[in-house]
Amino acid sequence: MFGLCVLAGVLVAALLLPMATGAGAMVNQTSDAMSRMSGSLARRDMPQITTVTDKDGAPIAYFFKDYRIETPPDQISDTMKAAITAVEDKRFWDHGGVDWHGTMRALATNFSSGSAAQGASTITQQYVKNYLVHVAATNAVEAEKAKESTIARKLREAKIAVELEHTMTKEEILTGYLNVVPFGNQTFGVGAAAQTYFGTTSEKLTIAQAALLAAIVNQPGSLNPNSNPQDAMQRRNLVIDLMADPNNNIRITKEDAEMAKKEPLGVMSPLGRPPNGCVGVGDGATDGFFCTYLVDYLDRLGIDSDKLKSGGYTIRTTLDRKATDAAKAAAEAQVPTQTEGIANAMAIVEPGKDKHKVRALVANRDYGNDASKGQTAYDIVSRVQPFGAGSIYKVFTAASAIEQGMSIYDTLDVPPSYTSRVYKNGTAPYTVSNADGVQPGPRTLQMALATSPNTAFVALQERAGLSNVVDMAARLGLRNGMTGVNTSGQGLKPDGSNGPSQADAIKKGNRGAFTLGYTPTSVLELSNVAATIMSAGVYCPPTPIEEIKDRHGDPVQLNEPRCEQAVSPQVAATLAQGMSKDDTDGTSRVAAQSVGWTRPMIGKTGTTQLHQSAGFLAATPQMAGAVLTYADGNSPQGICDGGGDAPPYLCGKNGGNIYGGKVPARTWFAAMTKVHEGLPAAPLPGTP
C-alpha cells in the first residue's frame, strides 16, 4: 500500500510538469485549448436553446439539443451554491482545482483494483468532464471517450482543472459547472432545472429546491423525483444536512435546515420543460405547419438542424397570430379536423416589393403525430402536393397572352368543345369541353377569367405558346412546383435519377391540359403568385423570417434570395384588372356574397377533372392567399360538397361535385374577412 501511495503521489505531481510525448502531449494540447478559452469558455460554446416567436414576439416553438438557460453568477442563488458545494466538493473554495488528499486516496485504490472506480473529482474536474462530454464532443463516440472509466481520463481532467484554476475565478468555474451539468429529463444547467422542476428561476430557489437539484446531479436517472420520490427525498435531506456544516464557505443554519427537510419535494407535474420542436408552445397544432416551413427554409440558408438546436438563436418570424387563427378557424369550419380523407389547406402571404412575408400556413388537420385525432406532421401547406389547383392555372395563360400584347377586353371564342390542332391525347386529337354550368359564347378575357371556360383557355394557350405559359407559372411564383419537383410532385434528386422536372416534362410532352391545372401544386406557392401580381409584378421568395439574433443579441445576416421583377408593372396591373370580376360576376360570387364581401380583389377558382381537388387563389392589395381542398387519404376519391353547413365527404373514385367556388372560396372569404378587419379598402393596381 505504501508503494501504491508513492506511485499515486508521483502521478499527481506529474500533472504539474510538462508532458512532451504520447498521452502527455494530448493532455497538454487539451489544457492549452482550455486555457485559451479561459473565462468565456461556457458562454461562447455551450449549446443553447433557440426560441422561435411570432411577429409580435410570443413564443411558438423551441429547439434544443440540451434544454439549457445559461445563467450568470449573480442570478444563481446562494442556496444553490451552498447546496452544490456542500455535497459535491466541500473544499471547493480552498483547493487549486484538484483535491490532492482525495485524489491520492482514489488513485491508490484505483491502481490496486486496475480501474478508475473511485473519483474524488472536484467541481472543477467535473466541470471539465461535463464540458468535454456535453459541449466539446461532436458525436456519441467522443462523448463516451470523454467519460470513460480510465486513469488516463482522470489525469487529463485533473491537468485541465489545474490549468483552469489559473485562468478562471472560483465564481466563474462554479457558474460554468452549474450551467453545463445535467439534471435529468433532458435538462442541463441550473437555470433550466429551476424551470423544469419548479417553474421558477435559479435566483429564487429555496433551500429545499436547491438541495433537491444538487441531489439530482449525483444520479439524475435513479434520483428522478417523479419516478423515484422516496430516494430523491432521502438524498435531498442529506444535502440539506451537509449545507448546515459549519465548515462550509457558504452555509445555512441548523434551524433553516430542519424546516427545509419538512417541505415536500414540490416538483411540477407535468414538468415545466418546454416541448422540443414544431409541436411547440403556444398553439403547436396550428403553428406546426409554419414551423416546419421555417425549419426547411433555414436549412436551405445554412442554419441546419444541429445549429438550430444548439445556437441559442432568437428567431422572430412573420407569423401573424390574427391571420393564422382566422385561417385555421375558417379551414376547420369548412372541413372539420377529423374529416376522413379530405384536407383543407390555406396559405396567406403579404405582398411587397422587398419581401413577401408568410403570415399564415394552416390546415384543417392539426399538426402532430396522432393520426387518430386527425393530426399529421407532414407539411401539407408549403410543400408541393400531388394534386392540382385546376383552372387557377388559367391565370398563367392569361398573363402570358397579356405580356404578348393582348387586352383583357379582347374577345375570346367559347365553343362548347374544342379540338386542338397543336396538342394530342396520345395519338388522338386533344378535345376539351367546358365544366357544367359554363355557357358557350364569346366573352372578353376579363369575363373568361371570371367564368372559366376550358375551351377558350386551351385555344389561348396555343396562341401564347405552351412553353411561355409554363415559364410564366414559374416566374410568377411556382418556382419549386415547376423546376424543383417531378411530375409526381417529388423533389428532384441531385443526380437527376427521378427527373425531369414538371416544367420540362410538360414542354417535352406538349401537354395541352397544363392550363387546366392538373399538375402537383404547393398552396404556399399559389398564394405567392397572387402576392407577385399585387406587388407590381415583383416576385420575392416567401419568407417566414422577420429577424434573427444570436445568443448575444446581435443580428444574424441571412443570404436570402433576392426579389426580382417577374413581369412588368403594366402586365401585373392589367392581369389584376383581368382577375377582378370573380367575386362579383364569376365563380366565387356566391361565397363572396355569403360574408358580405365588398372590397376590391382579384380571384380565380379551380377544380380538377375528377373533383379530387379544388382551389381558390385571391388577393387584395394588403394580403394574398390560396386554399386547396383535396383528397389526402391513401386511396383518393372524388369530393362531394355537403351543401349548406354540411361538411364535404368522399364520394367515390369516379368523381364528385366540389368546385373552387365552394369549400375553397368559402374558406378564403371567411378567413380574409377577419384578417382585413380594421384595414381600409384599397384599390387594385391599374384602377383609374
Side-chain angles (χ1 to χ4, degrees):
M1 180 59 68
F2 175 77
L4 290 172
C5 288
V6 171
L7 177 59
V10 171
L11 288 172
V12 170
L15 297 177
L16 302 177
L17 298 175
M19 301 182 190
T21 60
M26 293 177 63
V27 171
N28 276 333
Q29 291 170 8
T30 306
S31 62
D32 289 344
M34 295 290 279
S35 297
R36 286 194 301 271
M37 291 179 185
S38 189
S40 62
L41 179 73
R43 183 171 60 255
R44 188 168 62 231
D45 291 327
M46 281 189 188
Q48 289 200 46
I49 186 171
T50 288
T51 302
V52 179
T53 76
D54 63 19
K55 73 178 185 66
D56 297 317
I60 61 173
Y62 296 111
F63 292 90
F64 50 88
K65 172 188 172 185
D66 306 329
Y67 176 45
R68 177 182 284 107
I69 303 172
E70 194 164 1
T71 308
D74 60 350
Q75 293 179 19
I76 300 175
S77 67
D78 285 343
T79 54
M80 188 66 230
K81 296 173 184 177
I84 201 69
T85 53
V87 69
E88 292 296 319
D89 187 1
K90 65 181 180 181
R91 286 191 285 270
F92 170 74
W93 300 100
D94 302 315
H95 62 63
V98 177
D99 183 349
W100 301 114
H101 299 292
T103 298
M104 285 191 288
R105 182 179 63 252
L107 280 170
T109 303
N110 293 340
F111 269 111
S112 64
S113 66
S115 68
Q118 284 196 15
S121 292
T122 64
I123 281 178
T124 311
Q125 289 172 274
Q126 291 182 51
Y127 173 42
V128 172
K129 173 187 173 182
N130 280 285
Y131 181 86
L132 292 174
V133 172
H134 300 296
V135 179
T138 59
N139 53 55
V141 174
E142 290 182 4
E144 284 300 316
K145 189 174 181 179
K147 58 184 178 182
E148 61 188 358
S149 297
T150 64
I151 294 171
R153 192 263 295 174
K154 280 288 185 184
L155 290 172
R156 178 184 61 189
E157 287 175 6
K159 171 66 174 175
I160 300 171
V162 171
E163 292 285 345
L164 286 183
E165 291 278 347
H166 291 295
T167 58
M168 297 174 69
T169 67
K170 286 288 188 180
E171 193 74 34
E172 288 172 334
I173 291 170
L174 183 58
T175 300
Y177 169 76
L178 284 172
N179 273 306
V180 75
V181 69
F183 285 88
N185 287 295
Q186 205 181 348
T187 299
F188 292 75
V190 67
Q195 175 61 41
T196 294
Y197 291 104
F198 305 113
T200 189
T201 60
S202 57
E203 61 187 335
K204 297 179 181 178
L205 288 169
T206 66
I207 293 173
Q209 291 171 339
L212 179 60
L213 295 184
I216 293 172
V217 165
N218 184 257
Q219 296 177 5
S222 60
L223 292 175
N224 187 323
N226 277 348
S227 59
N228 194 2
Q230 184 174 352
D231 287 351
M233 175 72 81
Q234 183 177 353
R235 176 75 176 176
R236 184 204 71 171
N237 289 346
L238 171 63
V239 174
I240 293 174
D241 285 336
L242 292 173
M243 292 171 70
D245 188 324
N247 295 316
N248 290 339
N249 188 286
I250 306 174
R251 57 187 175 273
I252 62 175
T253 66
K254 291 286 186 182
E255 293 77 16
D256 286 342
E258 291 304 316
M259 291 179 61
K261 287 193 292 185
K262 295 177 182 179
E263 294 183 21
L265 291 178
V267 174
M268 296 177 68
S269 182
L271 296 177
R273 191 193 72 215
N276 186 5
C278 285
V279 182
V281 297
D283 194 348
T286 297
D287 301 341
F289 298 110
F290 184 100
C291 180
T292 57
Y293 177 65
L294 170 72
V295 172
D296 290 343
Y297 189 85
L298 289 172
D299 185 68
R300 293 195 296 271
L301 296 180
I303 299 180
D304 60 17
S305 177
D306 288 340
K307 290 181 180 178
L308 192 63
K309 291 180 178 179
S310 62
Y313 301 105
T314 299
I315 303 173
R316 187 165 66 89
T317 72
T318 58
L319 185 144
D320 182 278
R321 184 83 271 146
K322 179 180 179 181
T324 295
D325 290 348
K328 173 66 170 175
E332 283 188 353
Q334 289 298 316
V335 186
T337 298
Q338 298 196 49
T339 301
E340 182 181 0
I342 303 176
N344 194 30
M346 183 174 189
I348 298 177
V349 176
E350 184 175 342
K353 294 182 181 180
D354 56 347
K355 272 192 172 186
H356 288 179
K357 298 179 180 181
V358 181
R359 294 306 190 190
L361 295 174
V362 304
N364 66 316
R365 303 287 188 218
D366 286 342
Y367 185 87
N369 298 308
D370 192 342
S372 67
K373 296 181 179 179
Q375 296 178 351
T376 179
Y378 178 71
D379 182 2
I380 62 175
V381 189
S382 68
R383 292 186 179 179
V384 174
Q385 301 302 308
F387 294 93
S391 293
I392 291 173
Y393 277 39
K394 292 171 183 173
V395 169
F396 308 129
T397 305
S400 188
I402 290 169
E403 189 172 56
Q404 295 174 41
M406 188 174 187
S407 166
I408 60 172
Y409 304 112
D410 287 348
T411 300
L412 299 178
D413 290 331
V414 181
S417 67
Y418 178 76
T419 300
S420 174
R421 297 187 219 176
V422 176
Y423 310 123
K424 298 290 184 181
N425 182 13
T427 58
Y430 176 60
T431 299
V432 64
S433 58
N434 295 319
D436 293 342
V438 178
Q439 299 300 316
R443 66 204 68 181
T444 64
L445 175 58
Q446 184 182 55
M447 289 308 299
L449 282 165
T451 56
S452 202
N454 295 336
T455 56
F457 278 95
V458 170
L460 184 60
Q461 183 177 254
E462 291 177 350
R463 291 166 54 188
L466 177 61
S467 182
N468 294 329
V469 174
V470 172
D471 290 344
M472 181 61 73
R475 287 163 61 190
L476 289 178
L478 303 189
R479 301 296 172 99
N480 188 50
M482 289 293 102
T483 62
V485 301
N486 60 22
T487 55
S488 298
Q490 299 171 333
L492 296 178
K493 296 180 180 179
D495 62 4
S497 60
N498 67 336
S501 67
Q502 278 209 83
D504 289 342
I506 292 162
K507 293 176 183 179
K508 184 176 180 180
N510 196 33
R511 299 177 183 177
F514 178 72
T515 192
L516 306 183
Y518 71 92
T519 58
T521 304
S522 158
V523 186
L524 173 58
E525 287 197 325
L526 271 184
S527 181
N528 202 37
V529 166
T532 299
I533 297 170
M534 284 300 188
S535 303
V538 174
Y539 165 84
C540 300
T543 179
I545 297 171
E546 289 282 3
E547 65 175 1
I548 300 182
K549 293 184 178 180
D550 64 17
R551 66 178 67 199
H552 307 302
D554 297 324
V556 175
Q557 298 300 321
L558 294 177
N559 187 25
E560 294 186 86
R562 295 184 178 183
C563 302
E564 62 186 61
Q565 193 73 49
V567 296
S568 70
Q570 294 77 19
V571 169
T574 302
L575 182 59
Q577 290 296 319
M579 297 172 64
S580 65
K581 299 295 184 182
D582 200 271
D583 62 315
T584 56
D585 301 280
T587 50
S588 65
R589 179 175 57 87
V590 174
Q593 289 177 343
S594 69
V595 298
W597 184 270
T598 59
R599 292 173 179 269
M601 63 170 286
I602 64 172
K604 185 71 193 77
T605 62
T607 309
T608 52
Q609 186 174 4
L610 296 178
H611 298 270
Q612 292 183 355
S613 61
F616 186 51
L617 167 73
T620 68
Q622 294 107 325
M623 209 67 73
V627 179
L628 190 68
T629 308
Y630 62 94
D632 69 339
N634 294 327
S635 182
Q637 301 179 28
I639 302 172
C640 282
D641 188 85
D645 294 330
Y649 57 93
L650 298 176
C651 50
K653 291 190 175 291
N654 295 324
N657 69 352
I658 195 172
Y659 287 95
K662 294 184 177 181
V663 170
R666 292 196 292 260
T667 300
W668 191 97
F669 282 109
M672 288 300 200
T673 297
K674 295 288 187 183
V675 172
H676 284 79
E677 287 179 350
L679 296 178
L684 295 179
T687 300

